[in-house]
Amino acid sequence: METAAPVVLPLAPSPRVPRHVAIIMDGNGRWARQRGRPRTFGHREGVRSVRAVVEESVRRGVGTLTLFAFSSENWQRPRAEVTVLMELFMTALRGEVRRLNDNDVRLRVIGERSAFPEKLQHRIIEAESLTATNTTLNLQVAANYGGRWDMTQAARRLVADVQAGRLDPDAIDEQALTQRLSFPDLPEPDLFIRTGGEQRLSNFLLWQAAYAELYFTDRLWPDFNDAAFGEALDDFARRQRRFGLTGEQIETLTAVSA
Ligand code: IPE
Ligand code: IPE
Ligand code: MG
């Protein structure tokens, strides 16, 4: 039976270029081990892939890129590896920020940053303020981030707003929660990439990725270059996103909006 109800899609039907790409940068340790080197060597090499993906995003017109650099769970790794990751974060911030700024990239860090060394927290604030007015690419680095953490802190903000009388509990809807997550001003991820061969979310953007297209590749993160990223973008461009509708409905809608 045909229905005349207006169709509301959560995201644009099939933009050829994703507005937001989220990436789990996985496989550094294995990449290094394959070369007989310590895992941390892979993390250092991984910075090159970050540069490649950022620059390709600018070239291809991706407006927002979110990179998973360190999860809430990664603190449980050997202490020496965690230390190197923190140092690498510091040096990358020092070394890359000027270049990001020249490319009109706005950098933001999402995650529970109070757990980081104070020097690192300062450097993050400096980098964020230096690039705050840039608009070509929103680059978000997820550090000490977890999807459950994000939802929990949003829930806490909801309760605080209710207690302060700013919010009626009956008015709590999906949007009210979304607005209290880490990046309420940016579009939801259209494309969710994981390198390194595993097919799991590992507590990344759980709420925001509800309708993201998933793309898994066996390529380890240090081998993920601009061409590999381009392949993922091309794959995305060929997909039909249906958001619960039928393929025919989507074709009609796409034809109307083209
Ligand atoms: C991803 O690579 C980087 C971080 C989690 C910090 P891994 O370090 O997880 O590399 P593999 O998965 O062990 O190869
Ligand atoms: C996810 O990778 C986190 C980051 C890439 C920063 P992990 O390597 O930590 O994920 P699991 O442990 O394989 O699920
Ligand atoms: Mg891993």
Side-chain angles (χ1 to χ4, degrees):
M1 201 174 73
E2 289 300 312
T3 159
V7 171
V8 181
L9 297 176
L11 303 166
S14 291
R16 280 193 317 117
V17 178
R19 283 157 308 176
H20 184 172
V21 180
I23 309 182
I24 299 185
M25 311 186 286
D26 195 23
N28 293 348
R30 279 164 286 161
W31 187 90
R33 284 285 178 231
Q34 284 173 3
R35 285 158 183 79
R37 305 290 295 266
R39 296 176 50 81
T40 49
F41 178 65
H43 296 316
R44 291 184 209 285
E45 279 299 308
V47 177
R48 287 222 287 225
S49 300
V50 171
R51 221 176 274 140
V53 165
V54 166
E55 288 175 6
E56 191 64 10
S57 294
V58 170
R59 272 195 294 276
R60 303 266 299 232
V62 172
T64 301
L65 177 67
T66 301
L67 302 176
F68 204 7
F70 191 85
S71 75
S72 323
E73 292 75 26
N74 288 148
W75 290 111
Q76 297 167 62
R77 291 194 177 192
R79 190 125 120 212
E81 180 169 345
V82 172
T83 307
V84 169
L85 283 167
M86 292 301 141
E87 281 166 10
L88 201 57
F89 205 2
M90 281 292 276
T91 36
L93 277 175
R94 195 185 303 128
E96 305 291 326
V97 166
R98 192 181 297 266
R99 187 161 164 169
L100 291 176
N101 198 33
D102 291 344
N103 281 316
D104 198 36
V105 176
R106 177 175 191 182
L107 176 73
R108 275 183 275 190
V109 173
I110 57 168
E112 179 55 274
R113 55 173 84 176
S114 61
F116 291 133
E118 220 157 281
K119 253 168 74 179
L120 180 54
Q121 292 186 45
H122 282 303
R123 187 147 296 160
I124 291 171
I125 292 169
E126 273 169 23
E128 286 179 334
S129 21
L130 178 73
T131 61
T133 57
N134 295 342
T135 54
T136 299
L137 173 70
N138 285 302
L139 172 62
Q140 306 195 91
V141 175
N144 195 16
Y145 179 87
R148 288 180 177 174
W149 164 81
D150 206 357
M151 283 151 79
T152 306
Q153 57 96 29
R156 209 178 283 147
R157 286 175 186 170
L158 280 175
V159 172
D161 286 344
V162 168
Q163 281 180 336
R166 290 187 293 264
L167 179 67
D168 177 354
D170 292 332
I172 297 176
D173 54 10
E174 291 182 9
Q175 210 190 339
L177 194 133
T178 303
Q179 281 165 355
R180 288 162 179 84
L181 290 166
S182 285
F183 47 91
D185 57 322
L186 299 174
E188 285 178 19
D190 294 307
L191 174 60
F192 185 114
I193 299 173
R194 181 174 190 140
T195 65
E198 314 296 348
Q199 303 196 354
R200 53 177 172 256
L201 304 180
S202 297
N203 195 19
F204 196 24
L205 305 165
L206 298 181
W207 174 278
Q208 298 93 331
Y211 257 110
E213 292 295 322
L214 306 180
Y215 181 90
F216 299 106
T217 168
D218 287 338
R219 216 178 255 255
L220 304 173
W221 178 248
D223 289 330
F224 196 74
N225 55 16
D226 49 356
F229 184 51
E231 276 172 34
L233 296 178
D234 294 343
D235 186 277
F236 173 84
R238 289 190 294 270
R239 297 193 189 184
Q240 186 193 53
R241 307 175 75 191
R242 288 194 282 276
F243 304 106
L245 308 191
T246 66
E248 290 76 12
Q249 282 176 297
I250 294 294
E251 274 160 32
T252 314
L253 281 167
T254 320
V256 170
S257 62

